[in-house]
Structures are given as structure tokens and as C-alpha cells.
Amino acid sequence: MTPKKLQLLAASKDPTISQVLQEIDPEQWSVVLFDTPERIFSAQVTHPNFLLLDESVTGSNYLSLIKRVRKRFPAVDIMVVGGPKSDDLRISEKRDGVDGYFERPLEPVPLKAAVDHRLALARLKAEAEIVGRSPVMEEIFEVILQVAPTEVPILIEGESGTGKDVIAQAVHNASRRRDGPFIAINCASLAEGVLESELFGHEKGAFTGAVSQRAGVFEQAHRGTIFLDEVADMSPNMQVRLLRVLESGEVLRVGGVKSFKVDVRVIAATNRTLSAAVAQGSFRQDLYYRLKGVSFYLPPLRERSEDIPLMVDYFIRRANAVHHKDVKGIDRDAVKAIVDNPWPGNVRELRNLIDTAVVLSPGGRISLEVVGPRLADGQSPESSLLPVPLHRSKDEAEREMIYASILALHHDVREILAMLRRQQVGGPLDALSEVHSTGASAAAPVQNLAHLERSAIAGALRVSAGNRRRAADMLGISERTLYRKIKEYGLV
């Protein structure tokens, strides 16, 4: 993996600081040294990743300067070099936006170590696209830097939508395995037989349709990282098989007679409290301790609301790039309403809201009138975020989105079928074929929307073994909408 070059700004006249900056890897960082802090706001500076600020060139008003920097570049990591300060003053200045502090007199070696540490944190956030400066997130970043270079297994717990997959990717990116594969698999989305084949592979003739050998995820991720999402939803039999692989480091393909060694690091995640699942008897205690070398609790957005304005700024810039828009920012009352929202869907829900708001904002800024109606107000987060087209009722818009989801599902199923036939994997092929058969021609969905909608929902329920949450995820609609459609079509 070739590292992306990031931007470091430094405002200083101190020769020791200049010496340290000359030793920074030019392949990873573009270093710009200013002799006056006002040049930080020059036009050529867009979105810096790190700012090293020498207090001696700013005078006593450097906190006001930092507030201006924070307003212009909300997510930049700031380290200040200055005179001795009390712990209380440092804590106060951290609240004002100072991420790190180094006291004079300056010694090149410890200063270089301190700068390198802050640079590593800034790179970690930038590569994984993690936005957050709250104390709990800073603590998580610090732990990632400590554990990533090791081989210890990691367990990530947190609500849906908090970004557990992003943290897993960040660990991989900061590890010695970063040049190896990173493969993620959702344990809740696959039936037991399919999951077993996906993880461990199968031999020719292992089951009906297995006409050739196939490598599993553990084999594909050799010398890399496997991310097992929603690991708590594994069946007891799969838990036993996974434990055996973790203990022995060897994989036996389905239908195989000879095992082989694999070198992988496992990162697991769940939206449940795994220790509670152990206490309830639904998850093996020995597997729990195998997975829980180091554990992270990724807090919901409502527990780190100070990060929300930074995320809003980041998501606006990202949505501008994706949708070719030029939204300049967001009004203060709109930000307040967003911060005060409970965010049951967490970061994923916030990202979807800003994405919709950027598309629907006619002017240069996002207003409260745009985001207000789409904030949770006793509705499911998915329904409140529907990008309702102008001059259409909500029911019409919802039906249009379901229709679009069905067409997308029809396309995805065709691709899945083609992939399964190429890989010659059996199992749920018949069930998927049944879903696919409801849309045999391009014209059929247009002519028989209600029939196609009913068939797609019925097929998703069969593929998910009746699990309505998974079926809703497959269809790209909310559980609330799915329940209503099940009742409407008599699919009880």
C-alpha cells in the first residue's frame, strides 16, 4: 500500500524545530514552514492534517489563533510548542483546541518523538477517514497505535452504525500486515452452511454443486487481516469451528481431510455485549476470550456529540465531491439541531442526512429548513432520512425508492448468481434463483411492479430464513417499511 502524502504546516522561527521538520519522511508528508502564523490562512492551504505551532511567533494570543484555525480547518491535529504550563491550564487549552503540547527548552530527540507521535495519530485518522477529537475517540486512537503493530486479536463492540468496520480497517492500516489483504465478512448475513464455506473454503464434491475446490476467507487472507462482523450471530457449530482454527492456526476445508496452516490476524465486532451473550449461554466463553485480546467500545454518536460538527464538515466536503455540488457550509441553527438529535443510526445516519442535505440545498449553505424535517422525530431513522422528491407525497416517494431498491436487488442477484456459478458454490443458489426468476426480463418490473415487489420481499425473507432485519437490509428498506409491506401482501 503506497501511503498518501499528507500536509504538515508549521509556524516557527526556531532552528531546532526546523531541524526536526527536515527529518520528517518526505514520501509521507508535505511540509510547509511559515515564519508567521497568518500565512496558515493563505489560499494554497486547503485541508492540512497537522499543524505545529510555535507559541513564540504568535505571542500571548495564540489561543485566539487556534480558534480561527479550528473554524477554518475543524479536523486538523494541532501541537503547540511553548513554555511550562500547569496541568489545569493544559486541560483548559485542550478544550480550546490544542491536541498536544511540548515544553521548552527544546531538545531535538524528545521533540522529534513527540512530533512523530502526533503525526502517526494524524495519519491514522486521515487514512481511515476517522473524524473525531472527543476524549473517548482520542483514547481509542492511542490504543490503536499501541496494539496495531502487535498480533493480539481485537474485539470491537458498539451499536450499529458507529463505524466498527472503519476502526478495524484503521488497525489493519497501522499494522505490519498493511500490505497484506484485509477481508471483511458479515457473519449475520449468511446461512451457516454458506458461512462455513466462505470462511474455510471447500473441496470438490463437498456438497451438491461443489464441482471444484474453493479457497475460503482464512486462506485468502493469509498474512493479512480478517474482520468478522456481527460475530455474536454465529451458530454454536460455527463457533466451535472458528475456535479450532484460532487455537491451532490450521484450516480444514469443508469436505477436506488434510488441514493447512494460515497466518491471519482476526478482528471481530458485534453490536451486542459479548460478555452478556456468554452469560446467557448463546456464545462460547472460550471463543470469547480468544477474540478478546484487546477490546474497544465504540461509543454511539450521542455520547460524543462534540465530534458531530467535525463530521458534518467532513461529510459536506465528501458529498460535494460525489455529487458535484459546491455547498459552502451549514447554518449555525442547523448545526445545533443536528447536535441535539439522538442519532439512533449513529455515524451512518448522520452521513446519509448530510448527503441528502447537500443534494437538496439550492443555495450555498445548508439551512435548518433542509435538515429539520429529516431529523428523527418519533420516526424510524431510515424513514426520516428518505430524500423525498419535490412535489411528491411521502407514500409516492417511498414506493419509488422501494421500486429502485427492487431493481437494484434484481441487478445484484444476477451478479451474485453469475459469481456463484463461476465459483460453482451450492447451497442457497436455488433460493436466490427463485428471487431472480421474478425479474426474468427488463420489462417485467415496469409492467408488474406490485408482483415484483411482493416476490422480491418473499424471496428476501426466504434467503434470510425469515430474519426480517436481514431481509430489510437486503432490500435496502427500513424494517418499519418491510413490516408494512409484509402485512399488505399477506406474507405473514
Side-chain angles (χ1 to χ4, degrees), residues 124-140:
L124 175 71
K125 299 174 190 178
E127 288 187 343
E129 297 185 328
I130 304 173
V131 180
R133 296 185 58 255
S134 59
V136 64
M137 291 305 297
E138 287 292 326
E139 184 177 345
I140 287 175

Side-chain angles (χ1 to χ4, degrees), residues 239 242-243 246 283-291:
Q239 292 178 34
L242 177 61
L243 177 63
L246 296 181
F283 200 83
R284 294 181 63 95
Q285 186 177 48
D286 44 6
L287 178 57
Y288 169 63
Y289 288 120
R290 273 286 175 182
L291 296 173

